[in-house]
Amino acid sequence: MRLAQKRALVARWREEYGFPERLLAAFMAVPRERFIDASLSDEAYGDYPLPIGGGQTISQPTTVMLMTHFLAPEPDSRVLEVGAGSGYQAAVLSRLVPEGKVISVEYDAGLAETARRNLRAADAENVEVVVGDGGDGLPDRAPFDRIIVTCACPKVPGPLVAQLAEGGALVAPVSGLLGETMVRLTKEGGKVKKERLGLFSFVPLRGRHGSDG
Ligand code: SAH
């Protein structure tokens, strides 16, 4: 049942978005049911967000996959995620960077612990979860080839742009009147280029670079 639902999502994405096979394989390899409460496991492959505690949600599978596609990590990329939440997005990314690393910053210490536990249960290696205000990035660990923000920010936090490596890409949902516009920044020759990739809906960024900061 669950496997059939999972395969149906993959078939839809292949047809609708033409996602590369390695991205689809990463999705197939990660058990989403390990990243949500056991009482919700029958809903693991429904294409909608699910609660993960603390008023936060795990994004719907299509959103996770589209963001990962926009980010386009390479096998050796060093990836920074802002908002570990359940750890699911980090687990998908870790499959795509077998020779690289994913460092995920989480504001809520309790959720960070949950993410670590879920990542261990799902055998996701090369992921490190750090507690902190991800809007500040991790200056000591920079630069990053890829940066992904999984909560809505009023604007892309400056420290993250500064910590993006040359040739790197950053994907973030930026709040506006109608919801969040997915934005991709790329850095080439020291210049930052911005693209808008469509409307989404996200829980807000907290801390210094959030709307209440
Ligand atoms: N990527 C997650 C879902 C993220 S939900 C997953 O796959 O499950 C958004 C998360 O961002 C929440 O866990 C929230 O606590 C976290 N968050 C909000 N503001 C943050 C900040 N300033 N720094 C780090 N994490 C933040």
Side-chain angles (χ1 to χ4, degrees):
M1 167 65 183
R2 241 179 250 162
L3 188 58
Q5 274 183 309
K6 205 170 177 178
R7 287 194 174 130
L9 281 174
V10 165
R12 178 156 69 75
W13 291 328
R14 196 181 272 125
E15 159 116 11
E16 213 165 301
Y17 302 114
F19 286 158
E21 289 303 317
R22 63 187 288 269
L23 178 54
L24 298 172
F27 172 76
M28 284 307 293
V30 178
R32 192 169 188 258
E33 58 276 18
R34 290 275 166 81
F35 293 84
I36 53 179
D37 192 80
S39 65
L40 294 171
S41 27
D42 283 348
E43 301 191 59
Y45 297 101
D47 201 12
Y48 39 82
L50 290 169
I52 53 171
Q56 304 300 314
T57 54
I58 177 173
S59 296
Q60 73 183 85
T62 295
T63 301
V64 171
M65 292 293 279
L66 277 170
M67 287 186 78
T68 310
H69 185 54
F70 295 149
L71 195 69
E74 286 171 12
D76 64 350
S77 292
R78 267 173 70 76
V79 183
L80 174 71
E81 179 187 28
V82 176
S86 69
Y88 178 71
Q89 170 78 70
V92 172
L93 286 167
S94 85
R95 292 272 165 178
L96 292 164
V97 299
E99 296 140 40
K101 168 133 192 140
V102 180
I103 306 176
S104 188
V105 186
E106 173 53 52
Y107 197 74
D108 179 315
L111 275 174
E113 203 32 65
T114 305
R116 288 190 192 109
R117 199 177 51 237
N118 294 343
L119 285 158
R120 264 197 306 273
D123 290 324
E125 288 159 12
N126 67 337
V127 184
E128 189 184 330
V129 178
V130 176
V131 178
D133 185 344
D136 291 330
L138 290 172
D140 298 349
R141 315 286 297 269
F144 299 98
D145 304 305
R146 299 289 185 270
I147 300 178
I148 181 169
V149 182
T150 64
C151 36
C153 33
K155 59 185 277 242
V156 177
L160 299 183
V161 184
Q163 291 168 34
L164 187 62
E166 173 62 26
L170 176 156
V171 173
V174 176
S175 331
L177 288 177
L178 297 174
E180 279 72 52
T181 299
M182 196 63 72
V183 163
R184 177 167 56 199
L185 303 183
T186 43
K187 209 183 248 186
E188 295 289 348
K191 287 212 181 75
V192 178
K193 186 181 89 177
K194 178 168 162 181
E195 296 161 90
R196 289 176 184 79
L197 305 162
L199 278 173
F200 291 79
S201 179
F202 275 83
V203 294
L205 179 87
R206 304 191 271 182
R208 222 158 63 80
H209 300 269
S211 43
D212 56 352

